[in-house]
Amino acid sequence: TMAPCQTYRRIDERRREPVRGDLWWLLNEQPNLAMSAASFWRYMVSARMLHGDAFATITRRDRSPDVYGLVPRHPRAVEPVRGERGEIVYRVLEDDGRVVPYDGSDVLHIPSVGFDGLRSVSAIKAALGDAGGIALAAADFSSAYFSRGLQAQVAFAAPGDISEEEIARLKKQVDEKHSGRSGMWRPMVLTHGMKVERLSMSAEDAQLLDARRFQIEDIARLFGVPPHMIGHTEKSTAWGTGLEQMSIGFVRYRIAPICRAFEQEINRKLYRRATGFVEFNLEGLMRGDSKARSEAYRAALGGPGSGDGWMTPDEIRHLENMPDEIIGELYRAPRDVGESGNA
């Protein structure tokens, strides 16, 4: 949702120009009357990650190629089927209970892993079963472990025999005054020379905490998310270059392929081999710190020690979300005068 979806008009094989028309508004501001673009993309990405497929029906004006709405559909409400000619027809369950067939050209369908031409494999069913089951079991065990308050499985050792009545009274005292969180730190008074001996392992000995940490990493690994991005920073020394490079790698190797899948589906369904196309701008997500950007821009402009440049000042200003035109000319003017020797 942070990366803008730019719309372009292709001039030739090497040149293109940005276009801000109705389609740009749908993809970046409001795809339909019920939600913003940020909510739309968040829903689509979540559906693809959790269910394996993301669907959105395309609303056109009077059966024309012009698009004026994109409506996300829950994956469970969509059934892709093969038509008589081998094409895909999407049977969509509407809010009023009707099942409406949609032509394949009127549905955005972004599959994921295991796509067989109709549906993809759900990450929840395919891989998260074991990891999620272990995580739930560890959570249940942790809750039961700490809810007891008193260390589980302890023994009261007496130097001699005691009566059944005294044993029952001791059990009642422990249950009423020393169990649960409210009695965790209450002092216990033992008579007849009794001592408390622990028979069970501690939470650390049982590797309970290590197991829970591993499940966090295991589930994050399943979705391709670096642990530090969900607040799991135990193995990260500090914020700095290491985490920055991990975040850039996350964008490059995880976010970029997902965006590419969305781009291809949008281009083939909304443009239909026309001269236009869309592209997600990930430059802002991969931006390094100010020092690294300054060094990269200095090399891009060219000059001593950098060779020929490949960017103009205005192009760099665009990447930094700064205006150009007159301001850009003012920035270039002193440099041009100085190089010409006519200062």
Side-chain angles (χ1 to χ4, degrees), residues 202-236:
S202 66
E204 183 177 357
D205 294 334
Q207 296 184 341
L208 175 63
L209 301 181
D210 288 340
R212 290 179 65 80
R213 285 193 214 94
F214 177 77
Q215 292 310 312
I216 293 175
E217 297 177 6
D218 202 21
I219 295 174
R221 187 181 301 111
L222 172 64
F223 291 103
V225 178
H228 78 273
M229 299 195 72
I230 58 173
H232 187 67
T233 58
E234 179 182 351
K235 297 182 180 179
S236 303

Side-chain angles (χ1 to χ4, degrees), residues 107-299:
V107 177
L108 293 179
H109 179 189
I110 298 88
S112 59
V113 179
F115 181 58
D116 61 0
L118 292 176
R119 297 301 293 251
S120 302
V121 178
S122 168
I124 302 295
K125 294 181 180 179
L128 190 59
D130 292 339
I134 295 174
L136 291 175
D140 291 341
F141 180 79
S142 300
S143 177
Y145 186 93
F146 291 108
S147 65
R148 293 181 62 90
L150 184 68
Q151 286 284 356
Q153 298 180 5
V154 296
F156 296 89
D161 295 336
I162 59 176
S163 65
E164 294 293 335
E165 181 180 351
E166 290 175 323
I167 294 175
R169 186 170 60 250
L170 177 61
K171 289 182 178 179
K172 182 178 180 181
Q173 175 189 350
V174 172
D175 290 338
E176 291 179 353
K177 298 183 178 180
H178 302 286
S179 64
R181 286 177 291 183
S182 61
M184 288 180 65
W185 308 112
R186 289 183 179 179
M188 182 178 294
V189 179
L190 300 178
T191 60
H192 302 289
M194 287 187 181
K195 296 181 180 180
V196 178
E197 296 182 359
R198 186 195 308 170
L199 300 180
S200 63
M201 295 182 295
S202 66
E204 183 177 357
D205 294 334
Q207 296 184 341
L208 175 63
L209 301 181
D210 288 340
R212 290 179 65 80
R213 285 193 214 94
F214 177 77
Q215 292 310 312
I216 293 175
E217 297 177 6
D218 202 21
I219 295 174
R221 187 181 301 111
L222 172 64
F223 291 103
V225 178
H228 78 273
M229 299 195 72
I230 58 173
H232 187 67
T233 58
E234 179 182 351
K235 297 182 180 179
S236 303
T237 57
W239 288 99
T241 303
L243 292 184
E244 178 183 329
Q245 294 303 316
M246 290 175 61
S247 299
I248 293 176
F250 171 66
V251 175
R252 180 174 298 162
Y253 301 115
R254 181 60 176 169
I255 299 298
I258 294 177
C259 289
R260 185 58 178 161
F262 276 87
E263 289 170 359
Q264 290 183 346
E265 182 69 359
I266 293 173
N267 289 335
R268 78 188 190 101
K269 295 291 180 65
L270 301 188
Y271 282 98
R272 299 188 178 184
R273 299 184 183 182
T275 57
F277 65 97
V278 302
E279 186 176 280
F280 285 94
N281 185 0
L282 303 178
E283 196 67 34
L285 298 180
M286 299 183 64
R287 179 183 299 176
D289 56 30
S290 57
K291 180 180 178 181
R293 297 203 313 274
S294 298
E295 293 176 353
Y297 292 154
R298 188 179 299 111

Side-chain angles (χ1 to χ4, degrees), residues 6 8 23 107 111 136 149 335:
Q6 305 287 1
Y8 296 95
L23 187 56
V107 177
L136 291 175
R335 180 183 177 186

